[in-house]
């Protein structure tokens, strides 16, 4: 598995499929996905839930600068992160501290990534979660059916006291999580994504953090300026039709036949549907499913050269693609590979003559 800083690559001259565009983003841009939620006595459970509620609020209320390390397998990367709240909307600027210089910014239009000696890459919101530390509404009545929430004690991270909260998956359809919540601010200072045996699949941790900083730190400011330049260039490229964009207006009533065969694993529900357009004018349906914490997307589009056939994995993000009838279907999200396989196999079985 390549380190996150190896995943932003120079774009090829020819038009790339949307999945290849997604794969060009660093894994830390896909942290994929949910940042939220592990039971014992009622008081301990209430404490754990209160910590998660506080963490969810901190992520949209507290500003910070810090150094973040990402570990997946034997790959280790370091990033400088600046998290700001602009008009109530959280966003990040990131600068890689290992490998070639790369910058990434999450903004109102989505995510943009600056690549060395290459054209900028922009992915709109329609391609899924984009926040480095995303937050979701907490519905504990639903989450408790598929996760056990546990207060696991205290631990020091980046020289600060944290409360450790676990969210243990009750089945193999989703990952488990372990959050180290800063006692003072409520921010998660370390996040472990766990497999069904409780082993870390990936880990992210702050080695230093400045909470509610004054003026933007020099390194973070450099990341913000670089990513801002990328954003302007990327939006200019979008205007010329060089990149996939979300279709405007309400989604058409027409639904691809493959979508009718979509069956979800236990606990997952469809939470949104969007219609996107490819560079070549092809129509893409995106269905987003979530259990309140984990999520994945199902993309349905006309067949194309280079489309994913079979499984692929980027850190904790799993993807599997194949043909269902005359449509290319790709399932991608921060879920175990077996979950993505199951969704596609159910569609293939129901879609076969």
């Amino acid at each position: 598995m390549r380190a996150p800083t190896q995943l932003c690559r120079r774009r090829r001259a020819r038009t790339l499929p949307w999945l290849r565009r997604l794969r060009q983003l660093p894994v830390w841009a896909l942290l994929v996905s949910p940042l939220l939620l592990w039971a014992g006595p009622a008081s301990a459970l209430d404490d754990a839930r209160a910590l998660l509620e506080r963490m969810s609020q901190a992520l949209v209320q507290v500003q910070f600068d810090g150094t973040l390390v990402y570990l997946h397998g034997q790959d280790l990367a370091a990033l400088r992160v600046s998290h700001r709240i602009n008009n109530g909307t959280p966003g990040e600027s990131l600068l890689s501290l290992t490998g070639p210089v790369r910058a990434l910014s999450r903004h109102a239009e989505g995510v943009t990534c600056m690549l060395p000696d290459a054209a900028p890459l922009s992915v709109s919101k329609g391609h899924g979660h984009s926040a480095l530390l995303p937050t979701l509404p907490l519905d504990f009545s639903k989450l408790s059916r598929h996760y056990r929430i546990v207060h696991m004690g205290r631990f020091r991270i980046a020289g600060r006291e944290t409360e450790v909260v676990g969210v243990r998956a009750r089945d193999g359809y989703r990952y488990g999580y372990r959050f180290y919540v800063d006692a003072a601010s409520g921010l998660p200072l370390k996040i472990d994504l766990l497999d069904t045996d409780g082993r870390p699949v990936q880990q992210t941790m702050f080695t230093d953090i400045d909470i509610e900083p004054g003026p933007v730190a020099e390194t973070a400011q450099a990341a913000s300026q670089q990513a801002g330049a990328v954003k302007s260039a990327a939006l200019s490229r979008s205007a010329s039709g060089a990149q996939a964009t979300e279709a405007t207006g309400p989604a058409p009533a027409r639904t691809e036949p493959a979508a009718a065969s979509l069956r979800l694993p236990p606990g997952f529900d469809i939470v949104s549907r969007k219609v996107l357009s490819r560079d070549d004018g092809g129509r893409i349906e995106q269905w987003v499913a979530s259990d309140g914490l984990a999520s994945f997307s199902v993309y349905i589009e006309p067949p194309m050269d280079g489309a994913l056939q079979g499984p692929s994995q980027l850190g904790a993000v799993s993807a599997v693609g194949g043909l269902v009838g005359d449509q290319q279907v790709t399932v991608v999200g921060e879920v175990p590979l077996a979950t993505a396989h199951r969704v596609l196999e159910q569609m293939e079985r129901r879609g076969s003559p």
Side-chain angles (χ1 to χ4, degrees):
M1 181 65 63
R2 294 163 290 176
T5 52
Q6 294 176 304
L7 298 177
C8 266
R9 289 185 173 178
R10 182 175 303 177
R11 298 180 61 198
R12 298 180 183 178
R14 67 184 183 85
T15 300
L16 298 175
W18 67 268
L19 184 61
R20 290 189 182 177
R21 296 186 188 277
L22 187 63
R23 289 175 63 89
Q24 285 180 290
L25 285 173
V27 171
W28 36 266
L30 303 174
L31 293 181
V32 32
S33 63
L35 201 222
L36 291 169
L37 315 142
W38 299 64
S43 59
L45 176 58
D46 290 343
D47 288 347
R49 290 180 173 181
L51 284 166
L52 294 175
E53 290 280 13
R54 187 179 179 213
M55 182 180 73
S56 179
Q57 294 171 8
L59 289 168
V60 295
Q61 295 175 355
V62 180
Q63 302 186 122
F64 60 86
D65 295 325
T67 302
L68 186 74
V69 295
Y70 166 92
L71 177 65
H72 172 73
Q74 300 300 311
D75 295 324
L76 181 68
L79 313 163
R80 187 65 185 172
V81 182
S82 178
H83 180 88
R84 293 292 183 270
I85 311 297
N86 296 313
N87 297 321
T89 301
E92 290 89 31
S93 295
L94 301 96
L95 182 67
S96 61
L97 301 179
T98 53
V101 176
R102 296 174 173 88
L104 181 143
S105 176
R106 181 172 69 95
H107 45 78
E109 291 80 12
V111 176
T112 53
C113 183
M114 185 185 73
L115 314 172
D117 303 321
L121 169 67
S122 179
V123 178
S124 72
K125 278 186 175 180
H127 288 283
H129 298 297
S130 59
L132 175 70
L133 299 173
T135 183
L136 297 171
L138 301 182
D139 182 350
F140 289 112
S141 62
K142 180 176 180 179
L143 288 172
S144 62
R145 301 187 204 118
H146 306 288
Y147 298 93
R148 293 183 61 238
I149 302 173
V150 179
H151 184 241
M152 305 177 69
R154 299 174 69 89
F155 196 81
R156 290 181 71 244
I157 298 290
R160 303 172 66 93
E161 289 294 328
T162 69
E163 299 282 351
V164 186
V165 183
V167 182
R168 297 173 179 167
R170 296 182 183 273
D171 56 41
Y173 292 119
R174 58 213 95 223
Y175 291 124
Y177 301 82
R178 189 161 54 224
F179 302 101
Y180 296 73
V181 183
D182 183 37
S185 69
L187 290 171
L189 301 187
K190 185 174 187 287
I191 306 167
D192 299 335
L193 195 63
L194 309 174
D195 64 16
T196 54
D197 296 322
R199 294 187 297 257
V201 176
Q202 70 181 28
Q203 301 175 71
T204 56
M205 183 182 75
F206 282 97
T207 58
D208 67 75
I209 188 167
D210 181 12
I211 295 173
E212 293 295 353
V216 179
E218 181 179 348
T219 306
Q221 187 173 32
S224 179
Q225 292 172 344
Q226 289 173 314
V230 175
K231 175 182 173 182
S232 299
L235 293 177
S236 175
R237 288 174 57 82
S238 291
S240 66
Q243 299 181 349
T245 57
E246 185 176 343
T248 58
R254 179 171 68 90
T255 297
E256 298 297 348
S261 64
L262 180 59
R263 293 297 180 270
L264 303 176
F268 286 88
D269 298 306
I270 296 295
V271 295
S272 74
R273 176 199 172 217
K274 292 183 174 68
V275 175
L276 312 172
S277 60
R278 288 194 320 216
D279 293 355
D280 62 3
R283 180 179 184 272
I284 308 172
E285 283 191 22
Q286 180 200 19
W287 299 74
V288 180
S290 175
D291 66 358
L293 179 57
S295 65
F296 61 86
S297 291
V298 179
Y299 294 89
I300 303 172
E301 59 187 312
M304 65 188 304
D305 292 339
L308 180 65
Q309 301 296 321
S312 181
Q313 201 146 22
L314 281 163
V317 178
S318 301
V320 61
L323 290 174
V324 176
D326 61 352
Q327 296 290 304
Q328 168 69 28
V329 176
T330 307
V331 183
V332 58
E334 200 169 77
V335 292
L337 188 58
T339 303
H341 263 300
R342 182 185 188 275
V343 174
L344 182 62
E345 289 171 357
Q346 292 275 339
M347 295 179 71
E348 290 174 337
R349 188 176 304 117
R350 294 180 62 87
S352 60

